[in-house]
Amino acid sequence: MALLTHFLACAFGMGSWVAVNGLWVELPVLVTILPEQWDLPAYITIIIQMANVGPLFVTLMHRFRPGLLKEVAVIYVIVSVGVLACLLLAFFWDHTTSIAGRPRSTAFMILTFFLALVDCTSSVTFLPFMIQLHARYLTTFFIGEGLSGLIPAIIALGQGSGIFSCENVTRLVNITSGNETVETTIFHMETHYLPANFSTFFFFLLMTVMMVGCMLAFFFLTRQPKVWEVSQQQLFPRNIVLSSFDQIPDEAADSQLNRGCACPKDARGSGDVLPEKAHYPLAKLIFIYFLTAWVSTLTNGVLPSVQSYSCLPYGNVAYHLAATLSSVANPLACVVATFLPSRSLVLLGTLTIVGMGFAAYNMTIAVMSPCPLLRQSQWGSTTIVLSWVLFIGTLSYVKVMVGVILRSCSRNALMWYGALEQLGSLLGALLMFPLVSIYGFFKSADVCSLQCPA
């Protein structure tokens, strides 16, 4: 049963961000067909931030009307919306309408909003639900959340999205000199994207299957014994056990159980009673929540906006390796957190500083694009890939351990963890959008025709 619950928690976590992550990895195919072309990432970024109305609504309802929203019902609704939006996207992603005389991907934009609404709202609903289960399953949930980026990336690699070749193109140009016009042949290299191995329709169908898997996993997780139910069965075996999460809040359940026995601080087995709540001074809580927002700002808002600028100057292989291996680093960091957990705030702060160092290197290379350091060297490609992997790995470990720490505090602490995670992501995206899309602070690299000074 424990192994089954781990599997269900992982599948449930995969549904948290798989839809939006799928959009990002499919971009190299989408931009070659949709009329927005490479302006599409800017539109997706803004749509995702608009979808933060979902977590904002849930957070405000929990604050001012506690108990009105039933978590299980909310999760069923948002996951159902995700399944339907993914399915419709498979059929209508390339449908356009004319707006102000220009074709626009209205169907894609609308469905992207609903997918983003699902994923953003999952941050303040999925995590509080996980407090019903033993603490060991929270790390497994984070592993699944990491896989929500890795699996779409692997599918996109199998699809061959973004793979291109450099072709020598000949063009005839008329050059006028005085009264004479001379026809001159010009040779230059152009980038040509290779056809995908399977269609975008099939890709979005696979995303739909993953969302259905998330719903099924949640269905069976709601039927797993709750932490306090197991404890009540041990303390009061003849009592009727409450079977609804909403019938007994975590604070009331904990206090009721604590009156019945002296609970140990570390629950190890599935039959152990609930651990005592952890209590942190206000200063430490502020530091923990600051880490949550800051790490989310870097990993979800600031650095993803410049990954292509920092990697593409080193070639297509470096870009795909950085994107895929950094996706591997996320669930791997969650596995490390399972076997080597540490609640030391000093260690988490140190790891955050280390991750910021890698982030600074990635940002510096992006600013120097299209002619960064060591562009023609294999060391340059290796360094940028390692930097991205270590950046994601270190800060993913911090995010998981912060979640574990707050899980030991209360259900509301996990809800605020999700809210601050979204707030950090929003601030990072709002900071980077004008720099990338309006002011053109970053320059993209065309590895086929780029000429850099020696």
Side-chain angles (χ1 to χ4, degrees):
M1 287 299 296
L3 183 60
L4 174 62
T5 307
H6 277 295
F7 174 78
L8 293 175
C10 184
F12 180 51
M14 279 194 294
S16 59
W17 282 95
V18 68
V20 168
N21 288 332
L23 292 178
W24 285 118
V25 299
E26 190 68 0
L27 269 179
V29 174
L30 299 176
V31 296
T32 61
I33 299 174
L34 296 181
E36 290 78 11
Q37 298 182 338
W38 278 109
D39 287 336
L40 196 62
Y43 285 101
I44 293 177
T45 301
I46 290 299
I47 290 172
I48 292 174
Q49 303 319 313
M50 291 170 58
N52 276 303
V53 297
L56 177 62
F57 172 76
V58 172
T59 303
L60 292 176
M61 290 297 292
H62 276 292
R63 175 65 180 86
F64 296 106
R65 299 293 299 273
L68 184 62
L69 290 180
K70 304 300 181 183
E71 226 135 42
V72 171
V74 172
I75 293 176
Y76 271 125
V77 169
I78 64 173
V79 175
S80 299
V81 170
V83 171
L84 182 60
C86 276
L87 184 61
L88 291 176
L89 202 59
F91 291 94
F92 300 108
W93 69 273
D94 58 348
H95 283 226
T96 61
T97 56
S98 179
I99 299 178
R102 299 181 60 185
R104 294 292 182 183
S105 308
T106 49
F108 177 83
M109 302 291 184
I110 294 172
L111 293 173
T112 296
F113 172 78
F114 284 103
L115 289 180
L117 186 67
V118 170
D119 291 0
C120 292
T121 310
S122 72
S123 296
V124 294
T125 52
F126 285 20
L127 276 174
F129 169 80
M130 289 302 297
I131 204 171
Q132 300 182 66
L133 306 176
H134 194 280
R136 70 168 73 94
Y137 301 118
L138 184 62
T139 307
T140 309
F141 171 86
F142 279 116
I143 293 175
E145 195 174 71
L147 291 175
S148 71
L150 173 61
I151 293 180
I154 293 176
I155 295 174
L157 282 178
Q159 184 189 23
S161 65
I163 304 299
F164 60 82
S165 63
C166 298
E167 297 183 6
N168 194 359
V169 177
T170 303
R171 292 196 178 187
L172 296 176
V173 179
N174 293 325
I175 300 177
T176 302
S177 178
N179 295 326
E180 295 184 0
T181 300
V182 180
E183 192 175 72
T184 304
T185 302
I186 296 178
F187 300 92
H188 69 281
M189 301 297 291
E190 283 189 356
T191 303
H192 288 268
Y193 287 93
L194 303 180
N197 295 324
F198 53 85
S199 67
T200 302
F201 168 79
F202 187 69
F203 178 87
F204 284 126
L205 282 185
L206 291 177
M207 296 299 102
T208 305
V209 170
M210 293 186 67
M211 289 301 300
V212 171
C214 171
M215 177 177 286
L216 292 175
F218 177 67
F219 173 81
F220 289 110
L221 280 177
T222 57
R223 278 139 182 82
Q224 296 295 308
K226 315 299 186 294
V227 174
W228 56 81
E229 289 180 1
V230 175
S231 303
Q232 285 180 322
Q233 287 173 348
Q234 286 194 328
L235 296 173
F236 317 107
R238 295 182 181 179
N239 285 2
I240 298 176
V241 179
L242 295 174
S243 60
S244 172
F245 172 61
D246 298 307
Q247 286 178 283
I248 180 168
D250 59 314
E251 290 86 353
D254 289 351
S255 60
Q256 180 178 343
L257 292 173
N258 287 338
R259 288 196 298 269
C261 72
C263 298
K265 291 186 178 180
D266 292 310
R268 300 293 181 186
S270 60
D272 291 337
V273 291
L274 277 173
E276 290 180 351
K277 279 187 179 182
H279 296 281
Y280 291 92
L282 179 60
K284 288 188 176 180
L285 274 178
I286 292 175
F287 177 71
I288 291 171
Y289 282 124
F290 171 77
L291 283 184
T292 302
W294 179 242
V295 168
S296 298
T297 299
L298 294 178
T299 57
N300 299 341
V302 175
L303 271 299
S305 303
V306 300
Q307 186 173 36
S308 60
Y309 297 101
S310 66
C311 297
L312 278 178
Y314 297 99
N316 188 56
V317 174
Y319 173 68
H320 279 279
L321 281 177
T324 305
L325 294 181
S326 59
S327 298
V328 174
N330 193 319
L332 184 60
C334 300
V335 173
V336 172
T338 302
F339 295 100
L340 297 174
S342 174
R343 300 191 180 201
S344 169
L345 297 184
V346 174
L347 175 62
L348 296 182
T350 302
L351 288 177
T352 301
I353 294 174
V354 172
M356 288 170 58
F358 293 120
Y361 178 80
N362 298 340
M363 181 62 71
T364 302
I365 296 300
V367 170
M368 298 175 68
S369 176
C371 300
L373 295 172
L374 303 174
R375 179 179 175 271
Q376 301 295 337
S377 170
Q378 195 67 30
W379 285 105
S381 302
T382 303
T383 303
I384 195 63
V385 171
L386 284 177
S387 181
W388 271 99
V389 170
L390 294 174
F391 160 68
I392 296 295
T394 53
L395 295 189
S396 293
Y397 181 89
V398 173
K399 287 174 64 176
V400 172
M401 291 315 305
V402 167
V404 171
I405 289 172
L406 294 176
R407 191 266 179 202
S408 66
C409 295
S410 70
R411 169 182 166 276
N412 283 336
L414 274 183
M415 188 195 69
W416 283 108
Y417 169 90
L420 286 173
E421 185 179 31
Q422 288 304 113
L423 177 62
S425 304
L426 171 63
L427 294 177
L430 291 179
L431 171 66
M432 296 305 297
F433 178 77
L435 296 178
V436 174
S437 302
I438 298 177
Y439 298 109
F441 188 75
F442 300 91
K443 306 297 182 183
S444 60
D446 187 343
V447 295
C448 293
S449 59
L450 180 65
Q451 297 293 329
C452 289

